């Protein structure tokens, strides 16, 4: 039986790489034989499409939140082993309004995912949150063990972080005392920009070891992959973006061990890949990745 970790990937700012991080972290974890469930909570359904699934009316967390369907009925397999999705659909856009009218909406995602967590079927459940501090994100934060925040190293990054950190504090005090800030990961890093280095220093100075050593480089292959419905980690394993996400997945697994990882000797744990490379890439190498593949 696994100890399932549930992690929300959240940032109220749009376009910072939340969905790209969910899709490629999930892909990289699945290729390390971790069993992963992605929950697409954004009506834009970009994670659903990025994992090669279509939007299908009635197949999302929405009917589960309303008590009309069992969660097991909306979990969809992808083309890849160990990688499953609860897709999104346009109806999820109505969830904010409809949920807010129901007493106890704060616990709705936690209740909906409870049976999946208890089943022990997955090592990781990753929630792709919409870009807002609204009802869906609050209910997501109430349901998870920790929050992973993707950010871009740009002007006012710290202001955005302060906002989401405050939301995490509020949810911890009121709804989910065990909620942790699991980590912050820099995405779309252009390693030559001075502003990038300054912002990264400032964020590391403030949040210390909460900030992942691995950074994800800006890489054109990453932005091309969604239109093909294939995570870049599978589409172009040799690209810089893919290398970044694979290195990030190693660091993520080390910071978020499942019971499976804890009970396994390190030598065996390092050799359980179904991909070709058994060694973790070093975070420092990944951080040095240049702009293009
Ligand atoms: N490392 C990268 N290199 C190049 N392009 C990237 C990279 N990461 C993300 N992108 C592109 O940036 C855009 C925004 O990324 P993404 O959709 O993951 O952000 P998001 O935070 O989920 O957005 P939203 O807030 O709308 O949900 C997308 O077009 C994506 O393909
Ligand atoms: Mg998104």
């Amino acid at each position: 039986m696994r100890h399932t970790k549930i992690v929300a990937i959240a940032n109220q700012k749009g376009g910072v790489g939340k969905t790209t991080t969910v899709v490629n972290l999930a892909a990289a974890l699945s290729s390390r034989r971790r069993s992963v469930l992605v929950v697409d909570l954004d009506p834009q359904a970009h994670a659903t499409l990025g994992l090669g699934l279509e939007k299908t009316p009635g197949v999302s967390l929405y009917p589960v939140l309303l008590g009309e369907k069992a969660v097991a009925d909306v979990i969809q397999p992808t083309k890849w082993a160990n990688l499953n999705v609860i897709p999104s659909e346009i109806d999820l856009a109505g969830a904010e309004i409809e949920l807010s009218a129901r007493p106890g909406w704060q616990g709705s995602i936690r209740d909906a995912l409870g049976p999946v967590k208890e089943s022990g079927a997955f090592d990781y459940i990753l929630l792709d949150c919409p870009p807002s501090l609204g009802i869906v994100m609050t209910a997501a934060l109430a349901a998870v063990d920790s929050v992973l925040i993707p950010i871009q190293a740009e002007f006012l990054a710290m202001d955005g972080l302060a906002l989401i950190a405050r939301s995490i504090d509020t949810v911890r005090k009121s709804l989910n005392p065990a909620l942790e800030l699991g980590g912050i990961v820099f995405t779309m890093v252009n390693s030559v920009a001075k502003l990038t280095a300054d912002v990264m220093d400032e964020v590391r100075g403030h949040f210390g070891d909460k900030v992942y050593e691995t950074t994800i480089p800006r890489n054109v292959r990453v932005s091309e992959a969604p239109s093909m419905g294939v995570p870049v980690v599978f589409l172009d394993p040799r690209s810089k973006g893919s290398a970044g996400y694979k290195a990030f997945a190693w660091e993520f697994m080390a910071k978020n061990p499942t019971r499976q990882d804890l009970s396994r000797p390190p030598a065996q744990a390092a050799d359980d890949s179904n991909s070709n490379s058994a060694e973790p890439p070093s975070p420092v190498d990944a951080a040095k990745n240049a702009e293009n593949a």
Side-chain angles (χ1 to χ4, degrees), residues 7-140:
V7 180
I9 290 73
N11 189 332
Q12 72 283 353
K13 187 158 193 281
V16 294
K18 292 181 288 295
T19 301
T20 307
T21 298
V22 169
V23 165
N24 287 292
L25 173 61
L29 290 171
S30 74
S31 73
R32 306 311 305 184
R33 293 195 182 152
R34 299 306 185 270
S35 181
V36 185
L37 175 66
V38 168
V39 185
D40 190 348
L41 292 175
D42 190 341
Q44 297 179 101
H46 289 166
T48 302
L49 302 170
L51 287 163
L53 274 87
E54 308 271 315
K55 286 187 266 188
T56 310
V59 183
S60 71
L61 201 63
Y62 184 66
V64 185
L65 296 177
L66 299 185
E68 292 167 0
K69 271 192 181 175
V71 67
D73 295 339
V74 294
I75 296 176
Q76 307 291 303
T78 65
K79 296 188 203 82
W80 302 280
N82 309 321
L83 184 45
N84 300 274
V85 191
I86 296 180
S88 179
E89 52 163 335
I90 198 71
D91 270 359
L92 213 50
E96 291 261 335
I97 300 160
E98 213 159 318
L99 271 185
S100 65
R102 296 180 166 227
W105 61 263
Q106 295 89 339
S108 58
I109 295 180
R110 178 170 49 206
D111 294 346
L113 294 178
V116 201
K117 181 165 186 174
E118 278 149 33
S119 75
F122 298 101
D123 293 299
Y124 297 104
I125 302 178
L126 306 178
L127 276 53
D128 187 22
C129 292
S132 102
L133 293 170
I135 288 197
V136 169
M137 178 159 134
T138 304

Side-chain angles (χ1 to χ4, degrees), residues 12 133 137 158-168:
Q12 72 283 353
L133 293 170
M137 178 159 134
M158 277 296 286
D159 288 17
L161 274 176
L163 260 182
I164 185 164
R166 203 177 311 147
S167 291
I168 293 170

Side-chain angles (χ1 to χ4, degrees), residues 166-242:
R166 203 177 311 147
S167 291
I168 293 170
D169 276 346
T170 307
V171 171
R172 188 187 295 121
K173 281 182 196 134
S174 52
L175 301 167
N176 183 2
L179 180 64
E180 283 180 39
L181 169 55
I184 296 166
V185 57
F186 286 105
T187 58
M188 294 180 247
V189 172
N190 175 358
S191 52
V192 294
K194 169 145 182 6
L195 176 66
T196 301
D198 290 349
V199 171
M200 285 169 111
D201 284 350
E202 190 187 5
V203 172
R204 286 189 198 281
H206 197 269
F207 288 94
D209 63 6
K210 290 287 180 200
V211 184
Y212 275 82
E213 265 188 73
T214 311
T215 61
I216 310 299
R218 182 176 285 281
N219 172 225
V220 68
R221 297 296 282 153
V222 177
S223 54
E224 289 166 355
S227 66
M228 285 170 249
V230 181
V232 77
V233 160
F234 295 142
L235 183 71
D236 189 351
R238 291 167 169 275
S239 65
K240 303 286 185 194
S242 180

